[in-house]
Amino acid sequence: MTDAAKVVAVTGASSGIGEATARRLATDGHRLLLGARRTARLDALTREITTAGGTAAFQRLDVTDADDVRAFVSAARERYGRVDVVVNNAGVMPLSPLEALRTDEWDRMIDVNVRGVLHGIAAALPAMRAQGGGHFVNVASVGAYEVSPTAAVYCATKFAVRAISEGLRQESTGNIRVTLVSPGVTESELADSISDPAAREAMKTYRAVALPASAVAEAIAYALSQPPQVDVNEIVVRPAASAQ
């Protein structure tokens, strides 16, 4: 463990960017609490990290449940004595045209992608204030900057994450750092949640060129590695061969 090691709570850690971030941050000596609904995957990842000499634990987490998120952050503090970083990564992306009226999927995106981030902030911000500092890393998307067909609601949720992150940054007095990480097309299970047949087929072409999740994890590690007086506010990471 280095002098710069932090206590990091990662949501959505059972796959994709969250899983890659856990692996990457463990190599820097950070102490991790990993959260997601799929505990078997979390268990396997935690074992992998600890076997390699890292420090990690896990807890089942549903980010749509504010009490669950509070318990998750409290568990990090109880285990490690503090919480320095919350990586609000959990997200879903069931794309569809608005005229398909998949209102249940709209609600799910709002609950996970927006309320999940707010729950993470609400759970950790008082503790960070009390301990004199902290860092929120909110994972958005290039969809926070542009809108495409079938992605109106998804992009709206990511625009919201961007706005929330900027608002939190402006309200902070320097001891709470805020980083928005917006990946382009990334290898993950996000597209698996698309139930609309046309949108699912279109996504195959859209995702033909994709970043490995480890590239986004590197961006997160970079933001965390900066000295306390440096706040990396926004990072956009795209595949070099893609216009998206």
Side-chain angles (χ1 to χ4, degrees):
M1 185 182 300
T2 68
D3 290 340
K6 299 177 174 68
V7 175
V8 184
V10 183
T11 75
S14 61
S15 66
I17 292 170
E19 180 181 3
T21 297
R23 289 196 178 98
R24 178 63 183 82
L25 297 185
T27 67
D28 284 344
H30 298 304
R31 294 172 289 173
L32 307 175
L33 182 64
L34 310 178
R37 291 179 301 161
R38 295 178 291 187
T39 54
R41 289 194 177 192
L42 293 178
D43 183 41
L45 178 59
T46 299
R47 290 175 184 271
E48 175 190 326
I49 290 170
T50 55
T51 298
T55 303
F58 73 91
Q59 181 163 311
R60 187 189 183 283
L61 173 65
D62 179 355
V63 298
T64 69
D65 184 330
D67 290 338
D68 217 24
V69 181
R70 280 193 290 269
F72 178 65
V73 171
S74 293
R77 297 178 68 200
E78 290 168 8
R79 176 174 288 271
Y80 301 121
R82 58 189 292 119
V83 58
D84 298 301
V85 183
V86 173
V87 180
N88 284 311
N89 165 72
V92 293
M93 190 185 69
L95 306 183
S96 65
L98 289 171
E99 66 181 3
L101 300 179
R102 296 180 183 269
T103 56
D104 289 347
E105 293 181 353
W106 301 349
D107 290 343
R108 179 66 177 163
M109 281 188 278
I110 292 167
D111 286 345
V112 176
N113 298 357
V114 182
R115 289 195 177 93
V117 170
L118 290 171
H119 291 163
I121 293 169
L125 186 57
M128 290 180 179
R129 293 286 193 205
Q131 70 192 18
H135 194 162
F136 289 98
V137 178
N138 299 329
V139 178
S141 163
V142 292
Y145 302 87
E146 58 193 30
V147 181
S148 56
T150 75
V153 178
Y154 175 74
C155 292
T157 66
K158 295 305 183 178
F159 269 77
V161 172
R162 183 181 173 201
I164 290 163
S165 300
E166 176 61 9
L168 180 60
R169 183 195 71 79
Q170 292 184 18
E171 292 174 9
S172 298
T173 56
N175 59 349
I176 304 295
R177 299 194 291 178
V178 183
T179 301
L180 180 76
V181 177
S182 296
V185 182
T186 304
E187 296 170 357
S188 73
E189 298 178 0
L190 267 181
D192 294 348
S193 64
I194 301 175
S195 61
D196 183 85
R200 192 178 184 91
E201 189 62 30
M203 188 54 56
K204 293 179 181 179
T205 301
Y206 186 81
R207 297 172 72 89
V209 178
L211 290 168
S214 59
V216 185
E218 288 290 343
I220 293 172
Y222 169 78
L224 266 59
S225 71
Q226 300 307 299
Q229 69 272 23
V230 177
D231 190 2
V232 178
N233 299 136
E234 295 190 35
I235 304 176
V236 179
V237 187
R238 290 184 173 94
S242 174
Q244 304 296 334

